[in-house]
Amino acid sequence: MIDIRRVWRTYSPTPDLQVHALRDVSLRVERGEHVAIIGSSGSGKSTLMHILGCLDAPSQGRYQLDGVDVATLDDDALALLRNRRIGFVFQAFNLIPRTSALDNVALPLAYAGLSRTERHRRAAGALRAVGMGARLDHTPAELSGGQQQRVAVARAIVTDPALVLADEPTGNLDSRTTEEVLQIFDHLREAGRTIVLITHEDEVAGRAKRVIELADGEIRVDRRNEEVEKVAAGHLAEAGPDGPGAVA
């Protein structure tokens, strides 16, 4: 799914200064993996997330997403790739105020040229998949923080993306609501979706199959969580192709 080879990301705030946000990073993520990226502030994890989401480009190196070399794509093709192949979840939810949960989730489908009826059908299915089927007509102001994040996750999966990227998705939530949102990501993993999640919370990282730690723009640790992998394999076998996290 993700193949990054010897990627550097260098910024030049002045002609005489270069800042290496990423240094010679190589990384492969297979389809269906659940990966947590951790690291202190300034470690390069947000820069890596932006590159994975095709929101930024490497200064050097190559990035292939699902077999496509993103460096070969023009702006229109990149926008189409982001809309159809990548789902984004952010710490701040990024929902449109005074707009219903249904219309917030349906928004990415508008770019695909679907009819309003079909957009709403698929959006309702995505909201039901995250336990928000009874809140279709509620605006963000009428929802709790956890409910807003559920809507944001529904918006991320409504296009049936190959990859879900989550940037500190529980950063603004209390412990109980964090657990509720993490259960949704567990269901997405069980349904076979590829998830890459940035976090600074050990509890959140501990739910991933694989944990990658960045420091000074380099990968310092890349380890498997064998217990999570065993549980995930068992749940996936039980759920089948239409298990939790599937969108009708």
Side-chain angles (χ1 to χ4, degrees):
M1 176 61 64
I2 289 172
D3 188 2
I4 285 181
R5 301 289 179 89
R6 309 203 66 176
V7 160
W8 291 70
R9 185 62 177 101
T10 303
Y11 300 95
S12 299
T14 69
D16 299 324
L17 177 64
Q18 286 192 331
V19 178
H20 301 297
L22 293 177
R23 302 167 179 264
D24 200 22
V25 171
S26 294
L27 173 66
R28 287 178 62 90
V29 176
E30 302 298 333
R31 184 180 299 276
E33 277 200 281
H34 181 186
V35 179
I37 299 176
I38 63 174
S40 61
S41 178
S43 62
K45 59 184 187 296
S46 292
T47 300
L48 179 57
M49 180 67 82
H50 289 163
I51 288 175
L52 294 179
C54 300
L55 300 171
D56 194 6
S59 303
Q60 300 178 46
R62 187 185 71 177
Y63 173 30
Q64 285 190 321
L65 175 61
D66 210 12
V68 176
D69 187 343
V70 299
T72 65
L73 304 178
D74 60 20
D75 289 344
D76 289 342
L78 279 173
L80 189 63
L81 180 70
R82 285 191 295 266
N83 179 255
R84 296 188 178 180
R85 306 295 290 166
I86 305 173
F88 295 93
V89 182
F90 300 99
Q91 179 177 350
F93 315 141
N94 290 354
L95 301 178
I96 301 173
R98 297 183 296 281
T99 301
S100 70
L102 187 68
D103 283 329
N104 263 289
V105 174
L107 183 60
L109 299 173
Y111 302 106
L114 299 180
S115 69
R116 179 181 175 84
T117 299
E118 179 62 13
R119 294 198 303 269
H120 280 183
R121 186 191 72 81
R122 293 184 59 174
L127 285 162
R128 285 193 295 270
V130 299
M132 289 294 290
R135 299 287 190 271
L136 302 185
D137 297 325
H138 287 62
T139 65
E142 297 170 323
L143 302 173
S144 68
Q147 290 172 332
Q148 289 184 62
Q149 193 60 293
R150 286 173 179 263
V151 173
V153 173
R155 182 183 57 194
I157 65 174
V158 72
T159 58
D160 196 23
L163 173 65
V164 176
L165 298 178
D167 191 356
E168 298 283 4
T170 61
N172 287 334
L173 306 178
D174 60 38
S175 58
R176 181 183 63 81
T177 310
T178 290
E179 175 60 26
E180 293 174 355
V181 171
L182 289 179
Q183 287 178 7
I184 293 174
F185 281 102
D186 289 344
H187 294 331
L188 295 175
R189 178 190 67 209
E190 292 162 11
R193 295 186 185 274
T194 305
I195 301 170
V196 177
L197 184 151
I198 280 185
T199 184
H200 65 276
E201 300 173 84
D202 291 339
E203 175 191 2
V204 177
R207 301 284 277 265
K209 288 184 182 181
R210 181 177 169 196
V211 178
I212 296 171
E213 182 177 355
L214 293 181
D216 298 325
E218 300 177 323
I219 294 177
R220 297 293 175 85
V221 176
D222 187 346
R223 62 179 175 83
R224 299 280 179 176
N225 188 333
E226 295 182 359
E227 290 304 314
V228 171
E229 286 190 319
K230 289 177 183 177
V231 172
H235 285 177
L236 183 59
E238 294 172 2
D242 298 320
V247 178

mmCIF file of all heavy atoms in Angstrom, residues 174-212:
data_model
loop_
_atom_site.group_PDB
_atom_site.id
_atom_site.type_symbol
_atom_site.label_atom_id
_atom_site.label_comp_id
_atom_site.label_asym_id
_atom_site.label_seq_id
_atom_site.Cartn_x
_atom_site.Cartn_y
_atom_site.Cartn_z
ATOM 1 N N ASP A 174 -11.686 13.189 26.116
ATOM 2 C CA ASP A 174 -11.434 12.617 27.435
ATOM 3 C C ASP A 174 -11.209 11.111 27.309
ATOM 4 O O ASP A 174 -11.344 10.522 26.232
ATOM 5 C CB ASP A 174 -12.576 12.935 28.397
ATOM 6 C CG ASP A 174 -13.924 12.385 27.936
ATOM 7 O OD1 ASP A 174 -13.969 11.269 27.388
ATOM 8 O OD2 ASP A 174 -14.947 13.082 28.122
ATOM 9 N N SER A 175 -10.837 10.476 28.430
ATOM 10 C CA SER A 175 -10.435 9.066 28.374
ATOM 11 C C SER A 175 -11.569 8.151 27.930
ATOM 12 O O SER A 175 -11.360 7.211 27.144
ATOM 13 C CB SER A 175 -9.898 8.621 29.746
ATOM 14 O OG SER A 175 -10.873 8.812 30.746
ATOM 15 N N ARG A 176 -12.792 8.401 28.401
ATOM 16 C CA ARG A 176 -13.917 7.538 28.010
ATOM 17 C C ARG A 176 -14.212 7.673 26.524
ATOM 18 O O ARG A 176 -14.408 6.666 25.820
ATOM 19 C CB ARG A 176 -15.161 7.888 28.821
ATOM 20 C CG ARG A 176 -16.377 7.010 28.496
ATOM 21 C CD ARG A 176 -17.601 7.443 29.277
ATOM 22 N NE ARG A 176 -18.017 8.793 28.920
ATOM 23 C CZ ARG A 176 -18.746 9.078 27.837
ATOM 24 N NH1 ARG A 176 -19.120 8.112 27.018
ATOM 25 N NH2 ARG A 176 -19.097 10.323 27.584
ATOM 26 N N THR A 177 -14.227 8.917 26.028
ATOM 27 C CA THR A 177 -14.511 9.142 24.619
ATOM 28 C C THR A 177 -13.372 8.647 23.744
ATOM 29 O O THR A 177 -13.586 8.146 22.641
ATOM 30 C CB THR A 177 -14.767 10.640 24.357
ATOM 31 O OG1 THR A 177 -15.733 11.113 25.301
ATOM 32 C CG2 THR A 177 -15.290 10.864 22.959
ATOM 33 N N THR A 178 -12.148 8.766 24.247
ATOM 34 C CA THR A 178 -10.996 8.217 23.525
ATOM 35 C C THR A 178 -11.175 6.730 23.278
ATOM 36 O O THR A 178 -10.946 6.229 22.173
ATOM 37 C CB THR A 178 -9.693 8.464 24.313
ATOM 38 O OG1 THR A 178 -9.388 9.862 24.290
ATOM 39 C CG2 THR A 178 -8.525 7.696 23.708
ATOM 40 N N GLU A 179 -11.628 6.007 24.299
ATOM 41 C CA GLU A 179 -11.845 4.566 24.160
ATOM 42 C C GLU A 179 -12.913 4.282 23.108
ATOM 43 O O GLU A 179 -12.759 3.353 22.295
ATOM 44 C CB GLU A 179 -12.243 3.967 25.509
ATOM 45 C CG GLU A 179 -12.623 2.482 25.464
ATOM 46 C CD GLU A 179 -11.513 1.583 24.966
ATOM 47 O OE1 GLU A 179 -10.322 1.950 25.110
ATOM 48 O OE2 GLU A 179 -11.823 0.512 24.412
ATOM 49 N N GLU A 180 -13.971 5.069 23.080
ATOM 50 C CA GLU A 180 -15.025 4.875 22.089
ATOM 51 C C GLU A 180 -14.487 5.057 20.667
ATOM 52 O O GLU A 180 -14.800 4.273 19.763
ATOM 53 C CB GLU A 180 -16.176 5.842 22.348
ATOM 54 C CG GLU A 180 -16.929 5.578 23.652
ATOM 55 C CD GLU A 180 -17.963 6.657 23.950
ATOM 56 O OE1 GLU A 180 -18.012 7.643 23.182
ATOM 57 O OE2 GLU A 180 -18.724 6.505 24.922
ATOM 58 N N VAL A 181 -13.674 6.096 20.474
ATOM 59 C CA VAL A 181 -13.124 6.360 19.146
ATOM 60 C C VAL A 181 -12.116 5.277 18.771
ATOM 61 O O VAL A 181 -12.070 4.821 17.616
ATOM 62 C CB VAL A 181 -12.491 7.768 19.090
ATOM 63 C CG1 VAL A 181 -11.722 7.965 17.790
ATOM 64 C CG2 VAL A 181 -13.572 8.838 19.238
ATOM 65 N N LEU A 182 -11.316 4.822 19.730
ATOM 66 C CA LEU A 182 -10.348 3.768 19.439
ATOM 67 C C LEU A 182 -11.053 2.473 19.032
ATOM 68 O O LEU A 182 -10.540 1.716 18.204
ATOM 69 C CB LEU A 182 -9.451 3.525 20.649
ATOM 70 C CG LEU A 182 -8.442 4.629 20.973
ATOM 71 C CD1 LEU A 182 -7.630 4.262 22.209
ATOM 72 C CD2 LEU A 182 -7.518 4.882 19.788
ATOM 73 N N GLN A 183 -12.221 2.214 19.611
ATOM 74 C CA GLN A 183 -12.975 1.030 19.218
ATOM 75 C C GLN A 183 -13.399 1.110 17.747
ATOM 76 O O GLN A 183 -13.439 0.094 17.047
ATOM 77 C CB GLN A 183 -14.188 0.860 20.125
ATOM 78 C CG GLN A 183 -13.849 0.383 21.526
ATOM 79 C CD GLN A 183 -15.062 0.262 22.419
ATOM 80 O OE1 GLN A 183 -16.200 0.405 21.973
ATOM 81 N NE2 GLN A 183 -14.840 -0.009 23.695
ATOM 82 N N ILE A 184 -13.709 2.324 17.290
ATOM 83 C CA ILE A 184 -14.060 2.492 15.874
ATOM 84 C C ILE A 184 -12.862 2.141 14.999
ATOM 85 O O ILE A 184 -13.000 1.437 13.988
ATOM 86 C CB ILE A 184 -14.534 3.922 15.604
ATOM 87 C CG1 ILE A 184 -15.857 4.189 16.321
ATOM 88 C CG2 ILE A 184 -14.692 4.161 14.102
ATOM 89 C CD1 ILE A 184 -16.329 5.622 16.217
ATOM 90 N N PHE A 185 -11.675 2.614 15.382
ATOM 91 C CA PHE A 185 -10.485 2.269 14.607
ATOM 92 C C PHE A 185 -10.201 0.769 14.669
ATOM 93 O O PHE A 185 -9.742 0.184 13.675
ATOM 94 C CB PHE A 185 -9.277 3.076 15.088
ATOM 95 C CG PHE A 185 -9.250 4.480 14.570
ATOM 96 C CD1 PHE A 185 -9.625 5.541 15.376
ATOM 97 C CD2 PHE A 185 -8.869 4.747 13.264
ATOM 98 C CE1 PHE A 185 -9.620 6.836 14.900
ATOM 99 C CE2 PHE A 185 -8.860 6.048 12.768
ATOM 100 C CZ PHE A 185 -9.235 7.092 13.585
ATOM 101 N N ASP A 186 -10.487 0.142 15.811
ATOM 102 C CA ASP A 186 -10.365 -1.314 15.897
ATOM 103 C C ASP A 186 -11.284 -1.991 14.872
ATOM 104 O O ASP A 186 -10.893 -2.945 14.191
ATOM 105 C CB ASP A 186 -10.717 -1.804 17.303
ATOM 106 C CG ASP A 186 -9.678 -1.432 18.346
ATOM 107 O OD1 ASP A 186 -8.548 -1.056 17.969
ATOM 108 O OD2 ASP A 186 -10.000 -1.509 19.555
ATOM 109 N N HIS A 187 -12.529 -1.504 14.766
ATOM 110 C CA HIS A 187 -13.476 -2.075 13.806
ATOM 111 C C HIS A 187 -12.995 -1.867 12.366
ATOM 112 O O HIS A 187 -13.131 -2.766 11.521
ATOM 113 C CB HIS A 187 -14.855 -1.439 13.976
ATOM 114 C CG HIS A 187 -15.512 -1.746 15.285
ATOM 115 N ND1 HIS A 187 -15.286 -2.910 15.984
ATOM 116 C CD2 HIS A 187 -16.408 -1.027 16.041
ATOM 117 C CE1 HIS A 187 -15.999 -2.916 17.093
ATOM 118 N NE2 HIS A 187 -16.686 -1.782 17.155
ATOM 119 N N LEU A 188 -12.449 -0.692 12.090
ATOM 120 C CA LEU A 188 -11.925 -0.433 10.748
ATOM 121 C C LEU A 188 -10.777 -1.387 10.427
ATOM 122 O O LEU A 188 -10.675 -1.905 9.306
ATOM 123 C CB LEU A 188 -11.456 1.018 10.631
ATOM 124 C CG LEU A 188 -12.531 2.099 10.742
ATOM 125 C CD1 LEU A 188 -11.892 3.487 10.731
ATOM 126 C CD2 LEU A 188 -13.554 1.975 9.617
ATOM 127 N N ARG A 189 -9.935 -1.619 11.421
ATOM 128 C CA ARG A 189 -8.833 -2.566 11.228
ATOM 129 C C ARG A 189 -9.375 -3.965 10.967
ATOM 130 O O ARG A 189 -8.903 -4.677 10.072
ATOM 131 C CB ARG A 189 -7.950 -2.568 12.479
ATOM 132 C CG ARG A 189 -6.787 -3.568 12.423
ATOM 133 C CD ARG A 189 -6.132 -3.672 13.784
ATOM 134 N NE ARG A 189 -7.050 -4.278 14.757
ATOM 135 C CZ ARG A 189 -7.017 -4.015 16.054
ATOM 136 N NH1 ARG A 189 -6.173 -3.139 16.538
ATOM 137 N NH2 ARG A 189 -7.865 -4.627 16.865
ATOM 138 N N GLU A 190 -10.386 -4.351 11.741
ATOM 139 C CA GLU A 190 -10.970 -5.680 11.566
ATOM 140 C C GLU A 190 -11.610 -5.840 10.194
ATOM 141 O O GLU A 190 -11.683 -6.947 9.655
ATOM 142 C CB GLU A 190 -11.999 -5.937 12.665
ATOM 143 C CG GLU A 190 -11.385 -6.084 14.054
ATOM 144 C CD GLU A 190 -12.389 -5.901 15.167
ATOM 145 O OE1 GLU A 190 -13.605 -5.862 14.861
ATOM 146 O OE2 GLU A 190 -11.969 -5.789 16.327
ATOM 147 N N ALA A 191 -12.075 -4.733 9.624
ATOM 148 C CA ALA A 191 -12.677 -4.770 8.289
ATOM 149 C C ALA A 191 -11.627 -4.757 7.187
ATOM 150 O O ALA A 191 -11.973 -4.785 6.007
ATOM 151 C CB ALA A 191 -13.625 -3.589 8.118
ATOM 152 N N GLY A 192 -10.343 -4.709 7.576
ATOM 153 C CA GLY A 192 -9.278 -4.814 6.592
ATOM 154 C C GLY A 192 -8.790 -3.497 6.029
ATOM 155 O O GLY A 192 -8.037 -3.490 5.052
ATOM 156 N N ARG A 193 -9.176 -2.367 6.630
ATOM 157 C CA ARG A 193 -8.702 -1.079 6.131
ATOM 158 C C ARG A 193 -7.261 -0.834 6.587
ATOM 159 O O ARG A 193 -6.839 -1.283 7.649
ATOM 160 C CB ARG A 193 -9.594 0.059 6.620
ATOM 161 C CG ARG A 193 -11.005 -0.005 6.076
ATOM 162 C CD ARG A 193 -11.802 1.216 6.475
ATOM 163 N NE ARG A 193 -13.184 1.109 6.056
ATOM 164 C CZ ARG A 193 -13.631 1.468 4.859
ATOM 165 N NH1 ARG A 193 -12.793 1.989 3.976
ATOM 166 N NH2 ARG A 193 -14.904 1.335 4.538
ATOM 167 N N THR A 194 -6.519 -0.096 5.772
ATOM 168 C CA THR A 194 -5.156 0.304 6.112
ATOM 169 C C THR A 194 -5.227 1.614 6.884
ATOM 170 O O THR A 194 -5.807 2.588 6.406
ATOM 171 C CB THR A 194 -4.305 0.482 4.844
ATOM 172 O OG1 THR A 194 -4.356 -0.710 4.068
ATOM 173 C CG2 THR A 194 -2.862 0.799 5.207
ATOM 174 N N ILE A 195 -4.645 1.636 8.080
ATOM 175 C CA ILE A 195 -4.730 2.801 8.954
ATOM 176 C C ILE A 195 -3.323 3.219 9.367
ATOM 177 O O ILE A 195 -2.528 2.391 9.836
ATOM 178 C CB ILE A 195 -5.553 2.498 10.222
ATOM 179 C CG1 ILE A 195 -6.968 2.059 9.849
ATOM 180 C CG2 ILE A 195 -5.584 3.713 11.152
ATOM 181 C CD1 ILE A 195 -7.754 1.515 11.028
ATOM 182 N N VAL A 196 -3.024 4.506 9.188
ATOM 183 C CA VAL A 196 -1.789 5.087 9.727
ATOM 184 C C VAL A 196 -2.209 6.236 10.627
ATOM 185 O O VAL A 196 -2.898 7.158 10.195
ATOM 186 C CB VAL A 196 -0.851 5.588 8.614
ATOM 187 C CG1 VAL A 196 0.385 6.237 9.226
ATOM 188 C CG2 VAL A 196 -0.456 4.446 7.695
ATOM 189 N N LEU A 197 -1.783 6.166 11.884
ATOM 190 C CA LEU A 197 -2.272 7.078 12.907
ATOM 191 C C LEU A 197 -1.104 7.731 13.630
ATOM 192 O O LEU A 197 -0.181 7.040 14.080
ATOM 193 C CB LEU A 197 -3.155 6.288 13.877
ATOM 194 C CG LEU A 197 -3.881 6.975 15.005
ATOM 195 C CD1 LEU A 197 -5.157 6.199 15.329
ATOM 196 C CD2 LEU A 197 -3.003 7.034 16.246
ATOM 197 N N ILE A 198 -1.117 9.045 13.704
ATOM 198 C CA ILE A 198 -0.118 9.788 14.477
ATOM 199 C C ILE A 198 -0.657 10.033 15.870
ATOM 200 O O ILE A 198 -1.816 10.425 16.043
ATOM 201 C CB ILE A 198 0.212 11.137 13.795
ATOM 202 C CG1 ILE A 198 1.187 10.916 12.650
ATOM 203 C CG2 ILE A 198 0.810 12.122 14.780
ATOM 204 C CD1 ILE A 198 1.652 12.183 12.001
ATOM 205 N N THR A 199 0.179 9.790 16.875
ATOM 206 C CA THR A 199 -0.258 10.027 18.252
ATOM 207 C C THR A 199 0.950 10.235 19.149
ATOM 208 O O THR A 199 2.067 9.803 18.832
ATOM 209 C CB THR A 199 -1.090 8.836 18.776
ATOM 210 O OG1 THR A 199 -1.574 9.132 20.079
ATOM 211 C CG2 THR A 199 -0.254 7.570 18.827
ATOM 212 N N HIS A 200 0.718 10.896 20.279
ATOM 213 C CA HIS A 200 1.740 10.978 21.320
ATOM 214 C C HIS A 200 1.290 10.206 22.557
ATOM 215 O O HIS A 200 1.973 10.223 23.586
ATOM 216 C CB HIS A 200 2.007 12.442 21.696
ATOM 217 C CG HIS A 200 0.828 13.120 22.326
ATOM 218 N ND1 HIS A 200 -0.191 13.687 21.586
ATOM 219 C CD2 HIS A 200 0.486 13.292 23.628
ATOM 220 C CE1 HIS A 200 -1.096 14.199 22.417
ATOM 221 N NE2 HIS A 200 -0.714 13.970 23.655
ATOM 222 N N GLU A 201 0.150 9.487 22.444
ATOM 223 C CA GLU A 201 -0.424 8.778 23.573
ATOM 224 C C GLU A 201 -0.098 7.287 23.490
ATOM 225 O O GLU A 201 -0.397 6.629 22.492
ATOM 226 C CB GLU A 201 -1.936 8.980 23.606
ATOM 227 C CG GLU A 201 -2.365 10.434 23.739
ATOM 228 C CD GLU A 201 -3.868 10.597 23.607
ATOM 229 O OE1 GLU A 201 -4.564 10.414 24.621
ATOM 230 O OE2 GLU A 201 -4.332 10.904 22.505
ATOM 231 N N ASP A 202 0.506 6.758 24.556
ATOM 232 C CA ASP A 202 0.892 5.345 24.567
ATOM 233 C C ASP A 202 -0.323 4.428 24.420
ATOM 234 O O ASP A 202 -0.243 3.385 23.762
ATOM 235 C CB ASP A 202 1.620 5.012 25.879
ATOM 236 C CG ASP A 202 2.989 5.675 25.970
ATOM 237 O OD1 ASP A 202 3.531 6.046 24.914
ATOM 238 O OD2 ASP A 202 3.496 5.826 27.090
ATOM 239 N N GLU A 203 -1.440 4.810 25.045
ATOM 240 C CA GLU A 203 -2.647 3.984 24.963
ATOM 241 C C GLU A 203 -3.116 3.835 23.520
ATOM 242 O O GLU A 203 -3.513 2.749 23.086
ATOM 243 C CB GLU A 203 -3.763 4.612 25.800
ATOM 244 C CG GLU A 203 -5.097 3.884 25.684
ATOM 245 C CD GLU A 203 -6.250 4.662 26.306
ATOM 246 O OE1 GLU A 203 -6.025 5.781 26.805
ATOM 247 O OE2 GLU A 203 -7.375 4.148 26.253
ATOM 248 N N VAL A 204 -3.066 4.926 22.782
ATOM 249 C CA VAL A 204 -3.500 4.906 21.383
ATOM 250 C C VAL A 204 -2.533 4.071 20.544
ATOM 251 O O VAL A 204 -2.946 3.220 19.753
ATOM 252 C CB VAL A 204 -3.610 6.334 20.837
ATOM 253 C CG1 VAL A 204 -3.992 6.319 19.362
ATOM 254 C CG2 VAL A 204 -4.642 7.128 21.640
ATOM 255 N N ALA A 205 -1.242 4.298 20.725
ATOM 256 C CA ALA A 205 -0.242 3.540 19.970
ATOM 257 C C ALA A 205 -0.321 2.051 20.281
ATOM 258 O O ALA A 205 -0.092 1.205 19.407
ATOM 259 C CB ALA A 205 1.150 4.067 20.275
ATOM 260 N N GLY A 206 -0.689 1.722 21.533
ATOM 261 C CA GLY A 206 -0.744 0.323 21.933
ATOM 262 C C GLY A 206 -1.840 -0.476 21.254
ATOM 263 O O GLY A 206 -1.826 -1.709 21.315
ATOM 264 N N ARG A 207 -2.769 0.199 20.597
ATOM 265 C CA ARG A 207 -3.852 -0.504 19.897
ATOM 266 C C ARG A 207 -3.454 -0.864 18.458
ATOM 267 O O ARG A 207 -4.182 -1.581 17.779
ATOM 268 C CB ARG A 207 -5.107 0.366 19.864
ATOM 269 C CG ARG A 207 -5.625 0.747 21.239
ATOM 270 C CD ARG A 207 -6.337 -0.408 21.917
ATOM 271 N NE ARG A 207 -7.708 -0.505 21.476
ATOM 272 C CZ ARG A 207 -8.736 0.034 22.127
ATOM 273 N NH1 ARG A 207 -8.533 0.709 23.251
ATOM 274 N NH2 ARG A 207 -9.960 -0.112 21.693
ATOM 275 N N ALA A 208 -2.328 -0.336 17.989
ATOM 276 C CA ALA A 208 -1.901 -0.582 16.608
ATOM 277 C C ALA A 208 -1.130 -1.897 16.507
ATOM 278 O O ALA A 208 -0.521 -2.358 17.471
ATOM 279 C CB ALA A 208 -1.037 0.572 16.114
ATOM 280 N N LYS A 209 -1.153 -2.477 15.320
ATOM 281 C CA LYS A 209 -0.379 -3.693 15.086
ATOM 282 C C LYS A 209 1.122 -3.402 15.061
ATOM 283 O O LYS A 209 1.933 -4.269 15.359
ATOM 284 C CB LYS A 209 -0.756 -4.309 13.728
ATOM 285 C CG LYS A 209 -2.105 -4.967 13.643
ATOM 286 C CD LYS A 209 -2.224 -5.593 12.254
ATOM 287 C CE LYS A 209 -3.579 -6.242 12.039
ATOM 288 N NZ LYS A 209 -3.657 -6.852 10.687
ATOM 289 N N ARG A 210 1.453 -2.169 14.682
ATOM 290 C CA ARG A 210 2.852 -1.818 14.453
ATOM 291 C C ARG A 210 3.076 -0.397 14.928
ATOM 292 O O ARG A 210 2.243 0.478 14.699
ATOM 293 C CB ARG A 210 3.149 -1.947 12.962
ATOM 294 C CG ARG A 210 4.561 -1.650 12.522
ATOM 295 C CD ARG A 210 4.630 -1.915 11.030
ATOM 296 N NE ARG A 210 5.841 -1.432 10.411
ATOM 297 C CZ ARG A 210 5.992 -1.275 9.094
ATOM 298 N NH1 ARG A 210 4.974 -1.560 8.277
ATOM 299 N NH2 ARG A 210 7.131 -0.833 8.594
ATOM 300 N N VAL A 211 4.199 -0.162 15.602
ATOM 301 C CA VAL A 211 4.518 1.162 16.131
ATOM 302 C C VAL A 211 5.849 1.615 15.553
ATOM 303 O O VAL A 211 6.855 0.886 15.631
ATOM 304 C CB VAL A 211 4.587 1.152 17.668
ATOM 305 C CG1 VAL A 211 4.971 2.535 18.196
ATOM 306 C CG2 VAL A 211 3.251 0.708 18.262
ATOM 307 N N ILE A 212 5.830 2.823 14.963
ATOM 308 C CA ILE A 212 7.037 3.414 14.392
ATOM 309 C C ILE A 212 7.344 4.686 15.155
ATOM 310 O O ILE A 212 6.496 5.564 15.274
ATOM 311 C CB ILE A 212 6.848 3.722 12.895
ATOM 312 C CG1 ILE A 212 6.635 2.416 12.116
ATOM 313 C CG2 ILE A 212 8.031 4.500 12.336
ATOM 314 C CD1 ILE A 212 6.218 2.616 10.686
#
